Amino acid sequence: MPPPMLRLISSTSVSTVAGLPPILTKPPISNQNLSITPSEENRQKVLRLISRRDAAFLSLISLFPSLLHTPHASAFSIGISGPKDWLKEQKRKSSKFLLAPIDASRQSLRSVYLLLMDKESTISNNDLEEVQKLLKSAARDCVVLERNSFVAFQANTGVEVCTFRLIVKNASSLLENKNPVKLEAEAMLDDLISSFTSLNTLANESDIQVASSRHRVADALKDTITSLDKFEQAVKDCLEV
């Protein structure tokens, strides 16, 4: 008996082998039916997740392309010179407020001087208290021995409490440490604090009800006012006003 014959019947949709069940063939894949790969799907999800705020920001950037292409020279100017010049101008504009404590101290010293040199008035105990109050106010917490307990506590914790020293730091903050103008301001500050210390010591130890004592205190007042004027000019030099 001859061996069984195998016949392969080709078809566009089905292939059969004698004695075996039909095997379905895969239809040809069309580019139009190509499914989205996981990476492509994720990319499209990300695109859909872009918020309106992000879109608005991108639109804003597109309106100002020059912001993304700043020349090196302009970047250097904007990064350093620009803000420094702007800060200098702001300091000059606010110089009146920065110098206000100096002028207030000057007025206090002049009030004490007029009180002491008024020949027609008799110095009373109330006058003595007023003199001490005005001198303490004029010193602006720069005389260590005249500080109250709270101010002294702040100073001991490292807080700067001397108003005149704070003024110098503010006015000269844009100057180099070895700048002659800054060094002059710091020297005038030391001289001013020394003058206030000597004045307050003399006023506390003198009997200003005695004419000769009043004259000594008055002379010390004039010296302190002169130091204050020099200090003010040094601060103005720092501010370039």
Side-chain angles (χ1 to χ4, degrees):
M1 184 176 182
M5 299 293 293
L6 296 177
R7 292 186 302 170
L8 179 64
I9 303 176
S10 298
S11 174
T12 58
S13 60
V14 179
S15 298
T16 59
V17 178
L20 295 178
I23 300 176
L24 298 178
T25 60
K26 294 181 180 181
I29 298 176
S30 172
N31 291 335
Q32 295 179 349
N33 297 327
L34 184 63
S35 62
I36 299 175
T37 61
S39 60
E40 178 66 17
E41 182 179 2
N42 291 337
R43 189 180 71 84
Q44 293 193 11
K45 286 183 179 180
V46 171
L47 292 177
R48 288 194 297 268
L49 290 176
I50 296 179
S51 65
R52 293 182 179 180
R53 183 185 61 183
D54 297 330
F57 174 75
L58 293 175
S59 299
L60 179 63
I61 291 297
S62 65
L63 293 176
F64 300 97
S66 60
L67 294 177
L68 302 177
H69 304 284
T70 305
H72 294 293
S74 299
F76 180 82
S77 177
I78 293 175
I80 299 178
S81 299
K84 189 172 183 180
D85 292 339
W86 182 83
L87 288 173
K88 283 184 178 180
E89 182 62 25
Q90 296 308 307
K91 285 180 178 293
R92 283 193 288 267
K93 290 181 179 180
S94 62
S95 60
K96 180 180 179 180
F97 301 99
L98 187 63
L99 298 172
I102 300 176
D103 186 61
S105 293
R106 184 187 295 108
Q107 297 303 322
S108 296
L109 294 178
R110 287 176 176 172
S111 297
V112 175
Y113 181 83
L114 293 175
L115 179 62
L116 295 180
M117 299 308 295
D118 188 356
K119 298 180 180 179
E120 297 181 358
S121 65
T122 303
I123 304 298
S124 64
N125 290 333
N126 290 335
D127 293 331
L128 291 175
E129 293 178 1
E130 183 66 16
V131 167
Q132 292 175 351
K133 180 181 178 180
L134 288 172
L135 292 179
K136 184 176 181 179
S137 174
R140 304 289 169 181
D141 295 321
C142 293
V143 178
V144 178
L145 297 178
E146 296 296 326
R147 293 171 179 169
N148 59 41
S149 57
F150 177 71
V151 175
F153 171 76
Q154 286 183 305
N156 291 335
T157 58
V159 177
E160 182 56 68
V161 296
C162 175
T163 301
F164 297 135
R165 196 176 300 280
L166 290 173
I167 290 174
V168 171
K169 287 184 177 181
N170 186 296
S172 63
S173 61
L174 298 178
L175 303 177
E176 299 293 335
N177 291 333
K178 295 183 179 181
N179 188 295
V181 176
K182 182 175 183 177
L183 295 176
E184 178 68 12
E186 292 174 346
M188 292 298 100
L189 170 65
D190 293 338
D191 182 69
L192 179 62
I193 294 176
S194 178
S195 295
F196 267 111
T197 301
S198 298
L199 172 62
N200 285 14
T201 300
L202 181 61
N204 291 333
E205 295 177 352
S206 300
D207 183 2
I208 59 175
Q209 292 180 329
V210 178
S212 59
S213 297
R214 288 203 301 271
H215 281 288
R216 286 197 298 270
V217 175
D219 290 339
L221 277 166
K222 289 191 294 184
D223 292 340
T224 304
I225 292 174
T226 299
S227 297
L228 191 62
D229 292 340
K230 292 180 179 179
F231 172 72
E232 182 181 47
Q233 185 57 53
V235 173
K236 288 182 177 180
D237 292 340
C238 291
L239 297 171
E240 298 180 2
V241 295

